[in-house]
Amino acid sequence: MRTIRSIDARFIWEHSIPVPFSGCYIWSLSSSNRGYGQLKVNRRMRLAHRVSWEVANGPIPKGMYILHRCDTPCCVNPSHLFLGTPRDNMQDAIIKKRSFNTRKKQCKHGHPFNQKNTYWYRGQRHCIQCRRRLIIEWRSRIR
């Protein structure tokens, strides 16, 4: 049985394929349905890029994500990985035009997503006008 301590950099490099000119190391073992490399550690499937980060840099702080500079989900090169919060992850997706919801210009009730009418919660945009309406409805029900 492998543990993070027993996995060394050689294991990561032996099971990854270097891509010329990009610097990416593509994970060659199994991958998830979203394209991320994965491996079994302590009877649990772990994402290969997270394991690669832990081997190179130590434990990942609680609540932090490992983001890809290269935008290649199966890349395990530690120099292409960096720590980020869930918000950093969303901002990265927005900048790189990967997020479907960032293309939306208004909420489902037609209110615009602009600076005055938008707030972020758990990495997602929400409409302030809709939130106010929900609070008013909720208060009227409890009276």
Side-chain angles (χ1 to χ4, degrees):
M1 182 178 346
R2 288 191 292 259
T3 63
I4 293 294
R5 288 188 192 128
S6 70
I7 296 173
D8 62 357
R10 273 182 310 174
F11 180 82
I12 300 294
W13 301 128
E14 285 171 3
H15 297 289
S16 59
I17 302 164
V19 177
F21 307 112
S22 73
C24 289
Y25 281 81
I26 305 301
W27 186 248
S28 64
L29 296 180
S30 72
S31 61
S32 71
N33 58 356
R34 298 187 76 190
Y36 291 95
Q38 59 186 12
L39 70 152
K40 193 171 272 192
V41 179
N42 294 340
R43 299 182 190 160
R44 209 175 112 211
M45 290 307 277
R46 298 279 314 269
L47 294 174
H49 68 283
R50 291 179 66 87
V51 173
S52 174
W53 172 270
E54 289 184 41
V55 167
N57 301 300
I60 301 168
K62 187 173 179 150
M64 297 297 279
Y65 286 22
I66 302 299
L67 311 177
H68 289 86
R69 283 190 179 88
C70 59
D71 221 21
T72 307
C74 55
C75 178
V76 294
N77 185 346
S79 66
H80 288 194
L81 306 174
F82 64 100
L83 273 174
T85 63
R87 184 180 179 127
D88 295 335
N89 190 34
M90 285 304 299
Q91 294 297 328
D92 189 49
I94 291 166
I95 290 166
K96 294 176 180 173
K97 307 267 192 258
R98 281 187 286 111
S99 178
F100 172 75
N101 286 330
T102 58
R103 292 182 232 143
K104 293 180 182 175
K105 302 293 182 203
Q106 58 191 18
C107 75
K108 64 183 179 182
H109 297 290
H111 304 124
F113 277 133
N114 56 28
Q115 227 173 0
K116 287 184 176 181
N117 191 45
T118 306
Y119 71 97
W120 288 84
Y121 180 69
R122 293 188 177 177
Q124 294 182 354
R125 289 186 302 177
H126 295 277
C127 174
I128 291 174
Q129 290 179 10
C130 291
R131 177 75 178 151
R132 285 183 184 144
R133 187 174 50 93
L134 282 172
I135 290 170
I136 291 167
E137 288 175 11
W138 178 76
R139 285 181 181 161
S140 67
R141 273 189 254 137
I142 61 170
R143 289 184 184 170

